[in-house]
Amino acid sequence: MNPNRYFDPDPQQRSIARELYDSVAARPLICPHGHVDPRLFADPDYSFGSPVDLLIIPDHYVFRMLYSQGIALEALGVPTSPPTPHGERGETDHRQIWQTFADHFYLFRGTPTGVWFNDELSHIFGIEEKLAGESAQRIYDQITAKLATPEFRPRALFERFNIEVLCTTDAATDPLTHQQAIRASGWTGNLRPTFRPDGVVNLDAPGWRNNLDALSALSGIQVHNYATFIQALENRRAFFKSMGATATDHAALTPYTHELAAREADDIFQRALRGGATAEDATRFTGQMLMEMARMSVEDGLVMQLHPGSLRNHNPIIFEHFGTDKGADIPIETEYTRNLRPLLNKYGNDPRLTLILFTLDESAYSRELATLAGHYPALRLGPPWWFHDSLNGMARYFDQVMETAGLYNTVGFNDDTRAFCSIPARHDVWRRAGANWLAGLVARHFIDMDEAREMIEALTYGLVKQAYKL
Amino acid sequence: MNPNRYFDPDPQQRSIARELYDSVAARPLICPHGHVDPRLFADPDYSFGSPVDLLIIPDHYVFRMLYSQGIALEALGVPTSPPTPHGERGETDHRQIWQTFADHFYLFRGTPTGVWFNDELSHIFGIEEKLAGESAQRIYDQITAKLATPEFRPRALFERFNIEVLCTTDAATDPLTHQQAIRASGWTGNLRPTFRPDGVVNLDAPGWRNNLDALSALSGIQVHNYATFIQALENRRAFFKSMGATATDHAALTPYTHELAAREADDIFQRALRGGATAEDATRFTGQMLMEMARMSVEDGLVMQLHPGSLRNHNPIIFEHFGTDKGADIPIETEYTRNLRPLLNKYGNDPRLTLILFTLDESAYSRELATLAGHYPALRLGPPWWFHDSLNGMARYFDQVMETAGLYNTVGFNDDTRAFCSIPARHDVWRRAGANWLAGLVARHFIDMDEAREMIEALTYGLVKQAYKL
Amino acid sequence: MNPNRYFDPDPQQRSIARELYDSVAARPLICPHGHVDPRLFADPDYSFGSPVDLLIIPDHYVFRMLYSQGIALEALGVPTSPPTPHGERGETDHRQIWQTFADHFYLFRGTPTGVWFNDELSHIFGIEEKLAGESAQRIYDQITAKLATPEFRPRALFERFNIEVLCTTDAATDPLTHQQAIRASGWTGNLRPTFRPDGVVNLDAPGWRNNLDALSALSGIQVHNYATFIQALENRRAFFKSMGATATDHAALTPYTHELAAREADDIFQRALRGGATAEDATRFTGQMLMEMARMSVEDGLVMQLHPGSLRNHNPIIFEHFGTDKGADIPIETEYTRNLRPLLNKYGNDPRLTLILFTLDESAYSRELATLAGHYPALRLGPPWWFHDSLNGMARYFDQVMETAGLYNTVGFNDDTRAFCSIPARHDVWRRAGANWLAGLVARHFIDMDEAREMIEALTYGLVKQAYKL
């Protein structure tokens, strides 16, 4: 792979970008938000399985593209959910799945998945030839051999990747068993949970009633009304904090916030307990819970993250057969100025709160997000999220956010990934994209090289540690 | 004209772009969607008339710009519609109209119309001086002389332009007389109709009731209720297919889709027959008809195109005096994620359907269109449409669509033009813009030159043939 | 400061940009829209006060960024409004405020405020070192010394800045006392008022009832119903025109326009007089008043400007303590196609009207604004506004507007600033950004150098004079 990859072709900008990149290329990785399974680190001998177990089956970026071109998820080994009664699992021959993937790897040309995948093959697995149908089985053999070695246990890779801290994302009702096992094991990798209460605060979450029972059981607080619900949540936040959490995370269809009267919140909650909550109840309750979460963050200091605007499970055929997170979540237009006003008016001026916003609607960057973050002290902007975690997505973010919000109202990068082995590649893309952005500013004499050096350090290391209190 | 025009000024990117462009510059033109009048080819001796008949009067891109600067459409010879009773036709001296145009040609600097026009003058008419007031009459003479020659009959130009296939757009109630004449004439130019049923499926279409009578007459099916309406449409689709059609095309104010109960569809249809359909009826009926059209496409294999989001005839003064398509159609915000969900849920997983989406709302590119196309097997994205069929429009499209949808979920280019002589220039802009985009990826080491060569071939020739089944 | 600053790093484009920039760098400044206080010019000995009085306290771009990073407005000397009863004014030591600002000047890296500030320090105050905590007091001394000299009186700077005309923005109820004093003084600086009637035409404007009384008093027309209200407005417009105004300016939350029946307009007005107007009344009345203002512009020839889409005073804590214009105005999505249709249908074809549109919602550029301006003769597009008055904002504007609207449907630049000393820097950024845009077109062979020279002249001088009738 070319050492100047992803930099502008202009020789002057490229050379400045390279110098800036080199100044941070060896910095440890700070991973404040992601979805790596903590089980990987609970068992010191955890094995990733086959190349397909590692790289294909769990990666919705990979199989959504293949699916869009007519390849059935069954042919890629994606398990049905719930498992099909008579044991159908689709393709089980991982060599065949890998071949199918390699035959279609051209589909990823120019996509972030293509960029990450090539980087992983080259830098993590030492593959020197291009992945294609012809080379598929040779590369499969090479990866398989590597995965069998001790150097490819997750804990070993964690250290090789130079990860300073890795935060997972965990349901409010997760007992954090794996994190406890990791602590007990004496392994010193810095793994921290993140409190994600969507399953209990969104009344329309699948399995809400069961989640509530789990909340009661884990907190030791019998949740029977709004007041005990709030107590149980506070109890769990305290537990997460005791396990190292520094942040919470919240998904919502929209960033609607609204404070309900105590009585109204309890009325809705009681309707939900009886199974009679309406869609509007759920919307209003989520709006109220975002207010409560901000209040709790003010009190307990956990950083609050909000990821709105994804219409989950757009395709019911996929949802019914394969469950959630199968590449069928589609963004919608997302309004922040009015929706967040109640929350920001009440807590946005409070220095104890850090609220980090994300978006899938880039039209909000320059219009709403940068202008809000350039005013409210509590507000910070997260990096380009999901589909926009790409070279062009980052360039648009730098272009549209930075002039108005200022670099120092942003929080660096997070990889937000389930795919552990893609973490170094993702951070590398950010570091290169950031270096290239700053090199453009230097080459055009907006800033000088001293400023750019401080800014690339902030962009890749300083801001994220500070914002997430890591 | 400079052989490196429209490429990035960076010498490395420019040189790669040139190499990629050269590899496809001579490929035949595939024109799967457009509005060229089939009459041009029915009569082997068809003449374009004067330069103004050819280049000014029918081109709404041209006269909308002049109108925006205070030049009356009458002064440009644009005919009133219906024709004014006492025969007023505005300016009839085509030399004078041409002079007015040339005097104001500076208005088109940096616009796609300017780009196409200069290209046509140079490459089609061999004009070597710049168009301006001073040169206007000399150039008029040169074009006039050319148009008088046999080489400037439409059939001759069709071959000179190296058009492999040209699809027209034809109302469901068009008898395709010209296409039949062409077939009968033995001319081998590959001209194909496209089934466009807006005039009968949109209850608020001007002349809907008359269109319905024409539908009955042409199909031989007396349309008196929803069931016979559907039968008549299926009949016409079969006829279009027999005449070579491979696609349908649909305009709608929004991409709203919704399946009605059979009874409800018939109720609305009956109200419309009695002249009592409401605006909401029309909206719901269009939503239902898009579902029906997708169903028929699944069954008969015609590729379905959807062009939503244009508020037609925004300016009633222009509409009343000059009719439709006079430069007064203005885009609106367009939502796809929720609007298309019913259709995609029912047919989007079906490999028999190809649904090609277009947009005038670029904010949907990265948010909705690329993410939908990167998931649903039936979905493909059309090229930048109308106002966005421009060098910057293409750059934004490549930037915002390709990373998430992937190149192979797009369908190459279509010129979508009434202006036959602008076709080569429009395709050339796409080929140059595409080559420049890919050159940027090569220069930044995202892809290598072998990949880029395959991608430019796909972008300019392969994908469009495949998607449109040509 | 580098003489090639803000130009593309590509040597060819940079060299063309430099040549184009040089051709207009010395042109006088035309300032058709802004918020400079006319008092500066009424008193020939007006002094700007301290560097903090001049550069920090009145500049909401500056203190919003500092506030977003947790620095209280009190610490920056921003006065409370109304003044706090027991005289608290926050920090009064301007050296300390300047130190705080300089300590945090790194926050403005890569922002337009940083660009303007550095330019002002260098070109207006002759400062040669970088502003930072360490250099703060030395620079404070230098600026203080300069401000004490006669060369730093506003009238002297007006001439040094080479301002050909400066338009202020003045309430309909402003008696224009300062402008009258300027006239009487014999000073020949070309200062013109602009008629801004928001305080009387928006029923929900703070102090509306008092404003109405002032309108009666100033016009000499006792406003007691809609008809007398309109008469009073016409009277004030005539007065503004007699004082040199060539334009009006209008803010509205949305660009909604709608013509009311005369009776309905009066009903709403009467309800407002009685204090009983609803929010919907206010919306409808503003929609009606925009129609009336367009009608009056057709009649009296004043150019109409519309600045919609800012949700003012988003943060009530700031509003209650410090009043309006304190960095807490946040943009919202803004729809033009449907909202402006009534106004454009009635007046948009009339050559006597010039309506100049602005936006804070860049998604409307290519979708709605460029397409509307490329059709309606009365419509022109203003330059990037407020948060988008930046190098990237301008690049996006050129990219998204110019191909469809055409350069000649835009109106050059306006600085829109309260900060008099930032005017040269702001115009310089526009001239450089414009030269760089055109250089890109030349380098890519869209236009030739002769065309580019005419276009940069139009962009920086010609179009604005023509559009604003200056």
Side-chain angles (χ1 to χ4, degrees), chain C residues 396-410:
Chain C
R396 292 193 294 267
Y397 174 84
F398 295 136
D399 174 29
Q400 294 169 33
V401 161
M402 292 300 188
E403 286 189 324
T404 296
L407 169 64
Y408 298 90
N409 282 314
T410 63

PDB file of all heavy atoms in Angstrom, chain C residues 396-410:
ATOM      1  N   ARG C 396     -18.699  26.372  -1.721  1.00  0.00           N
ATOM      2  CA  ARG C 396     -19.938  25.599  -1.908  1.00  0.00           C
ATOM      3  C   ARG C 396     -20.958  26.398  -2.710  1.00  0.00           C
ATOM      4  O   ARG C 396     -21.701  25.849  -3.538  1.00  0.00           O
ATOM      5  CB  ARG C 396     -20.519  25.200  -0.548  1.00  0.00           C
ATOM      6  CG  ARG C 396     -19.659  24.187   0.200  1.00  0.00           C
ATOM      7  CD  ARG C 396     -20.396  23.569   1.385  1.00  0.00           C
ATOM      8  NE  ARG C 396     -20.704  24.508   2.428  1.00  0.00           N
ATOM      9  CZ  ARG C 396     -19.942  24.753   3.504  1.00  0.00           C
ATOM     10  NH1 ARG C 396     -18.795  24.108   3.670  1.00  0.00           N
ATOM     11  NH2 ARG C 396     -20.324  25.618   4.404  1.00  0.00           N
ATOM     12  N   TYR C 397     -21.028  27.686  -2.452  1.00  0.00           N
ATOM     13  CA  TYR C 397     -21.957  28.559  -3.180  1.00  0.00           C
ATOM     14  C   TYR C 397     -21.611  28.590  -4.668  1.00  0.00           C
ATOM     15  O   TYR C 397     -22.476  28.364  -5.523  1.00  0.00           O
ATOM     16  CB  TYR C 397     -21.868  29.942  -2.545  1.00  0.00           C
ATOM     17  CG  TYR C 397     -22.624  31.065  -3.205  1.00  0.00           C
ATOM     18  CD1 TYR C 397     -23.972  31.275  -2.938  1.00  0.00           C
ATOM     19  CD2 TYR C 397     -21.977  31.958  -4.052  1.00  0.00           C
ATOM     20  CE1 TYR C 397     -24.651  32.345  -3.504  1.00  0.00           C
ATOM     21  CE2 TYR C 397     -22.652  33.033  -4.618  1.00  0.00           C
ATOM     22  CZ  TYR C 397     -23.991  33.216  -4.350  1.00  0.00           C
ATOM     23  OH  TYR C 397     -24.665  34.276  -4.911  1.00  0.00           O
ATOM     24  N   PHE C 398     -20.351  28.831  -4.978  1.00  0.00           N
ATOM     25  CA  PHE C 398     -19.966  28.831  -6.394  1.00  0.00           C
ATOM     26  C   PHE C 398     -20.269  27.481  -7.030  1.00  0.00           C
ATOM     27  O   PHE C 398     -20.763  27.397  -8.152  1.00  0.00           O
ATOM     28  CB  PHE C 398     -18.474  29.142  -6.535  1.00  0.00           C
ATOM     29  CG  PHE C 398     -18.081  30.524  -6.085  1.00  0.00           C
ATOM     30  CD1 PHE C 398     -16.953  30.730  -5.305  1.00  0.00           C
ATOM     31  CD2 PHE C 398     -18.850  31.629  -6.445  1.00  0.00           C
ATOM     32  CE1 PHE C 398     -16.589  32.006  -4.889  1.00  0.00           C
ATOM     33  CE2 PHE C 398     -18.496  32.913  -6.029  1.00  0.00           C
ATOM     34  CZ  PHE C 398     -17.361  33.104  -5.249  1.00  0.00           C
ATOM     35  N   ASP C 399     -19.980  26.428  -6.294  1.00  0.00           N
ATOM     36  CA  ASP C 399     -20.165  25.071  -6.808  1.00  0.00           C
ATOM     37  C   ASP C 399     -21.637  24.773  -7.078  1.00  0.00           C
ATOM     38  O   ASP C 399     -21.985  24.209  -8.108  1.00  0.00           O
ATOM     39  CB  ASP C 399     -19.598  24.086  -5.776  1.00  0.00           C
ATOM     40  CG  ASP C 399     -19.866  22.631  -6.117  1.00  0.00           C
ATOM     41  OD1 ASP C 399     -19.969  22.301  -7.309  1.00  0.00           O
ATOM     42  OD2 ASP C 399     -19.972  21.822  -5.182  1.00  0.00           O
ATOM     43  N   GLN C 400     -22.497  25.150  -6.142  1.00  0.00           N
ATOM     44  CA  GLN C 400     -23.879  24.675  -6.181  1.00  0.00           C
ATOM     45  C   GLN C 400     -24.852  25.650  -6.842  1.00  0.00           C
ATOM     46  O   GLN C 400     -25.941  25.255  -7.249  1.00  0.00           O
ATOM     47  CB  GLN C 400     -24.359  24.334  -4.757  1.00  0.00           C
ATOM     48  CG  GLN C 400     -23.600  23.142  -4.183  1.00  0.00           C
ATOM     49  CD  GLN C 400     -23.838  22.931  -2.701  1.00  0.00           C
ATOM     50  OE1 GLN C 400     -24.914  23.208  -2.201  1.00  0.00           O
ATOM     51  NE2 GLN C 400     -22.843  22.446  -1.989  1.00  0.00           N
ATOM     52  N   VAL C 401     -24.462  26.914  -6.907  1.00  0.00           N
ATOM     53  CA  VAL C 401     -25.377  27.920  -7.438  1.00  0.00           C
ATOM     54  C   VAL C 401     -25.092  28.273  -8.895  1.00  0.00           C
ATOM     55  O   VAL C 401     -26.007  28.405  -9.706  1.00  0.00           O
ATOM     56  CB  VAL C 401     -25.297  29.201  -6.561  1.00  0.00           C
ATOM     57  CG1 VAL C 401     -25.852  30.412  -7.293  1.00  0.00           C
ATOM     58  CG2 VAL C 401     -26.037  28.979  -5.254  1.00  0.00           C
ATOM     59  N   MET C 402     -23.831  28.432  -9.231  1.00  0.00           N
ATOM     60  CA  MET C 402     -23.480  29.122 -10.473  1.00  0.00           C
ATOM     61  C   MET C 402     -23.859  28.358 -11.735  1.00  0.00           C
ATOM     62  O   MET C 402     -24.259  28.985 -12.727  1.00  0.00           O
ATOM     63  CB  MET C 402     -21.989  29.451 -10.493  1.00  0.00           C
ATOM     64  CG  MET C 402     -21.608  30.506  -9.464  1.00  0.00           C
ATOM     65  SD  MET C 402     -22.485  32.075  -9.738  1.00  0.00           S
ATOM     66  CE  MET C 402     -21.662  33.146  -8.554  1.00  0.00           C
ATOM     67  N   GLU C 403     -23.753  27.054 -11.733  1.00  0.00           N
ATOM     68  CA  GLU C 403     -24.066  26.311 -12.962  1.00  0.00           C
ATOM     69  C   GLU C 403     -25.524  26.485 -13.378  1.00  0.00           C
ATOM     70  O   GLU C 403     -25.838  26.500 -14.564  1.00  0.00           O
ATOM     71  CB  GLU C 403     -23.790  24.817 -12.762  1.00  0.00           C
ATOM     72  CG  GLU C 403     -22.315  24.480 -12.753  1.00  0.00           C
ATOM     73  CD  GLU C 403     -22.084  22.993 -12.775  1.00  0.00           C
ATOM     74  OE1 GLU C 403     -22.887  22.252 -12.152  1.00  0.00           O
ATOM     75  OE2 GLU C 403     -21.119  22.542 -13.398  1.00  0.00           O
ATOM     76  N   THR C 404     -26.419  26.561 -12.393  1.00  0.00           N
ATOM     77  CA  THR C 404     -27.846  26.603 -12.699  1.00  0.00           C
ATOM     78  C   THR C 404     -28.385  28.025 -12.743  1.00  0.00           C
ATOM     79  O   THR C 404     -29.182  28.368 -13.619  1.00  0.00           O
ATOM     80  CB  THR C 404     -28.628  25.761 -11.683  1.00  0.00           C
ATOM     81  OG1 THR C 404     -28.218  24.393 -11.816  1.00  0.00           O
ATOM     82  CG2 THR C 404     -30.124  25.842 -11.928  1.00  0.00           C
ATOM     83  N   ALA C 405     -27.993  28.859 -11.793  1.00  0.00           N
ATOM     84  CA  ALA C 405     -28.489  30.234 -11.782  1.00  0.00           C
ATOM     85  C   ALA C 405     -27.745  31.075 -12.803  1.00  0.00           C
ATOM     86  O   ALA C 405     -28.325  31.992 -13.398  1.00  0.00           O
ATOM     87  CB  ALA C 405     -28.331  30.843 -10.396  1.00  0.00           C
ATOM     88  N   GLY C 406     -26.470  30.748 -13.007  1.00  0.00           N
ATOM     89  CA  GLY C 406     -25.628  31.630 -13.823  1.00  0.00           C
ATOM     90  C   GLY C 406     -25.108  32.784 -12.973  1.00  0.00           C
ATOM     91  O   GLY C 406     -25.834  33.324 -12.131  1.00  0.00           O
ATOM     92  N   LEU C 407     -23.874  33.165 -13.209  1.00  0.00           N
ATOM     93  CA  LEU C 407     -23.264  34.265 -12.452  1.00  0.00           C
ATOM     94  C   LEU C 407     -24.124  35.516 -12.473  1.00  0.00           C
ATOM     95  O   LEU C 407     -24.243  36.226 -11.470  1.00  0.00           O
ATOM     96  CB  LEU C 407     -21.884  34.584 -13.059  1.00  0.00           C
ATOM     97  CG  LEU C 407     -21.207  35.861 -12.581  1.00  0.00           C
ATOM     98  CD1 LEU C 407     -20.873  35.794 -11.107  1.00  0.00           C
ATOM     99  CD2 LEU C 407     -19.940  36.122 -13.391  1.00  0.00           C
ATOM    100  N   TYR C 408     -24.765  35.780 -13.610  1.00  0.00           N
ATOM    101  CA  TYR C 408     -25.421  37.067 -13.783  1.00  0.00           C
ATOM    102  C   TYR C 408     -26.785  37.146 -13.100  1.00  0.00           C
ATOM    103  O   TYR C 408     -27.443  38.178 -13.142  1.00  0.00           O
ATOM    104  CB  TYR C 408     -25.477  37.426 -15.273  1.00  0.00           C
ATOM    105  CG  TYR C 408     -24.064  37.556 -15.825  1.00  0.00           C
ATOM    106  CD1 TYR C 408     -23.401  36.447 -16.369  1.00  0.00           C
ATOM    107  CD2 TYR C 408     -23.373  38.749 -15.724  1.00  0.00           C
ATOM    108  CE1 TYR C 408     -22.094  36.562 -16.833  1.00  0.00           C
ATOM    109  CE2 TYR C 408     -22.065  38.864 -16.184  1.00  0.00           C
ATOM    110  CZ  TYR C 408     -21.433  37.769 -16.733  1.00  0.00           C
ATOM    111  OH  TYR C 408     -20.129  37.871 -17.169  1.00  0.00           O
ATOM    112  N   ASN C 409     -27.205  36.065 -12.458  1.00  0.00           N
ATOM    113  CA  ASN C 409     -28.370  36.128 -11.576  1.00  0.00           C
ATOM    114  C   ASN C 409     -27.963  36.209 -10.105  1.00  0.00           C
ATOM    115  O   ASN C 409     -28.788  35.971  -9.219  1.00  0.00           O
ATOM    116  CB  ASN C 409     -29.295  34.934 -11.817  1.00  0.00           C
ATOM    117  CG  ASN C 409     -30.138  35.130 -13.067  1.00  0.00           C
ATOM    118  OD1 ASN C 409     -30.710  36.203 -13.270  1.00  0.00           O
ATOM    119  ND2 ASN C 409     -30.211  34.107 -13.908  1.00  0.00           N
ATOM    120  N   THR C 410     -26.706  36.492  -9.852  1.00  0.00           N
ATOM    121  CA  THR C 410     -26.245  36.714  -8.482  1.00  0.00           C
ATOM    122  C   THR C 410     -25.826  38.179  -8.356  1.00  0.00           C
ATOM    123  O   THR C 410     -25.772  38.896  -9.360  1.00  0.00           O
ATOM    124  CB  THR C 410     -25.081  35.771  -8.126  1.00  0.00           C
ATOM    125  OG1 THR C 410     -23.963  36.051  -8.983  1.00  0.00           O
ATOM    126  CG2 THR C 410     -25.494  34.318  -8.308  1.00  0.00           C
TER     127      THR C 410
END
